[in-house]
Amino acid sequence: MSRVAAIDCGTNSIRLLIADVAASDGAPRLIDVVREMRVVRLGQGVDATGEFAQDALDRTLEATRDYAELIRSHGAGQVRFVATSATRDARNRQVFIDGVRDLLGVEPEVISGDEEAALSFAGASSVLPSRGKEPVLVVDLGGGSTEFVLGDADGVIAAKSVDVGCVRMTERHLLGDPPTAEQIAAAEADVDAAISRAAQTVPLARATALIGVAGSVTTITAHALKLAEYSAEAIHGTELDLATAREACTSLLEMTRQDRAALPYMHPGRVDVIGAGGLIWRRVLERMSAATDGRITSVLTSEHDILDGIALSIS
């Protein structure tokens, strides 16, 4: 059994997974040792300026320093650090890359949207029942981008990453508290255009099931379930009918930030951006229902995603 460490550095959060890798029916299986998430908002302002803000870099490197200590203390033999949407966009990303290398002793990877999608699919599918040759669509709704990946038991069939995410749409459009009808309409136009771009590469109509991953989707699911606190165990594997999921999205979108902050399952770092997450997820659900002529009537939530995919990739 080997011990690995994976770090997923996105636009809104940075996450660490230290896991032991065991064989299960010939396939690697992860046994969690440490799973941690911090909202650092690395992508703060990147959509508008094209650069990392110094305070965002400081927050993220501070978290990386703490993660490096956890990795050392738990004796992980292999480490992979992956950075996604915000780092792809930032002109001054080399400053960040150098800082991470100095702290971790490994070269951070700025991966493409397509690789991000493939890792998300690998992570989600590793813990869900196999549907064999029936294609499933995994959607990873992040802070700066959203990945659409269609795959089956043999792996990825088609994937596309588009630049709409909860942080990006909040900073670009949803400035009101709550957002105005005009702001919502502008954000929906951006999201619809992005889904249409994804559909040019990914045959959405072939999907027989829809799986949502990442923090916006899991928080929306917690809202739909009306949990007394955030519980990954309660959320993972939850199947919601599309109407219930859409209602949860709309509720979060229309709330004030003060009301969102009072929800017992709401992470403070998601309060200002979960409305945009709800808007994006609502449009994905509606477009998937239309693309499949109503064949898809529910959505499954997975707590396992790109972070697990990264760990499996080095096992």
Side-chain angles (χ1 to χ4, degrees):
M1 188 178 294
S2 61
R3 179 164 291 183
V4 301
I7 298 177
D8 165 39
C9 186
T11 299
N12 197 41
S13 65
I14 183 169
R15 300 181 300 152
L16 167 69
L17 172 60
I18 301 173
D20 290 329
V21 184
S24 177
D25 296 327
R29 178 173 61 89
L30 300 175
I31 303 169
D32 287 14
V33 177
V34 173
R35 191 180 286 263
E36 190 169 317
M37 185 272 288
R38 297 190 191 180
V39 174
V40 292
R41 196 65 59 83
L42 176 62
Q44 170 193 324
V46 168
D47 186 64
T49 67
E51 292 190 347
F52 288 135
Q54 186 60 50
D55 53 341
L57 284 169
D58 293 342
R59 289 191 300 267
T60 309
L61 290 174
E62 180 182 357
T64 304
R65 183 177 294 106
D66 293 343
Y67 285 178
E69 182 55 39
L70 282 170
I71 290 167
R72 282 191 288 270
S73 65
H74 286 281
Q78 296 184 78
V79 181
R80 187 179 183 191
F81 184 110
V82 164
T84 55
S85 178
T87 311
R88 287 196 293 266
D89 292 350
R91 286 189 297 269
N92 59 340
R93 60 180 169 269
Q94 194 60 46
V95 176
F96 176 57
I97 291 169
D98 293 343
V100 171
R101 187 194 307 110
D102 290 345
L103 291 168
L104 278 180
V106 299
E107 187 72 19
E109 301 172 52
V110 184
I111 63 171
S112 69
D114 286 350
E115 186 173 4
E116 185 177 356
L119 288 170
S120 295
F121 183 83
S125 61
S126 69
V127 294
L128 295 171
S130 174
R131 297 177 64 94
K133 287 294 188 178
E134 292 185 350
V136 300
L137 183 74
V138 172
V139 180
D140 183 343
L141 200 174
S145 65
T146 297
E147 283 67 50
F148 294 77
V149 52
L150 187 75
D152 58 21
D154 292 333
V156 174
I157 297 169
K160 180 67 175 179
S161 178
V162 290
D163 283 339
V164 292
C166 61
V167 173
R168 197 183 295 269
M169 290 298 98
T170 299
E171 292 184 351
R172 189 180 295 178
H173 297 297
L174 302 185
L175 304 177
D177 184 23
T180 66
E182 292 77 13
Q183 290 169 352
I184 290 171
E188 286 183 330
D190 261 10
V191 173
D192 283 343
I195 297 172
S196 294
R197 289 196 298 276
Q200 293 174 4
T201 302
V202 182
L204 303 181
R206 288 184 56 190
T208 60
L210 175 63
I211 300 168
V213 302
S216 284
V217 174
T218 60
T219 302
I220 292 164
T221 303
H223 188 57
L225 295 174
K226 299 180 173 58
L227 296 182
E229 61 182 3
Y230 191 94
S231 168
E233 292 77 15
I235 292 165
H236 179 67
T238 291
E239 187 169 8
L240 298 173
D241 63 81
L242 295 188
T244 299
R246 287 198 305 268
E247 287 168 8
C249 292
T250 300
S251 172
L252 289 168
L253 174 61
E254 294 179 348
M255 279 184 179
T256 65
R257 293 179 182 177
Q258 182 177 359
D259 288 341
R260 293 177 197 154
L263 297 171
Y265 38 78
M266 184 65 62
H267 191 288
R270 298 200 188 281
V271 168
D272 60 332
V273 297
I274 192 60
L279 181 149
I280 296 165
W281 194 228
R282 185 175 68 181
R283 291 305 295 144
V284 170
L285 299 177
E286 291 167 348
R287 290 287 294 271
M288 283 305 299
S289 177
T292 59
D293 294 325
R295 187 176 65 253
I296 285 182
T297 59
S298 64
V299 58
L300 194 68
T301 300
S302 174
E303 279 278 353
H304 298 266
D305 52 26
I306 185 175
L307 186 61
D308 301 73
I310 296 166
L312 288 167
S313 74
I314 54 176
S315 62

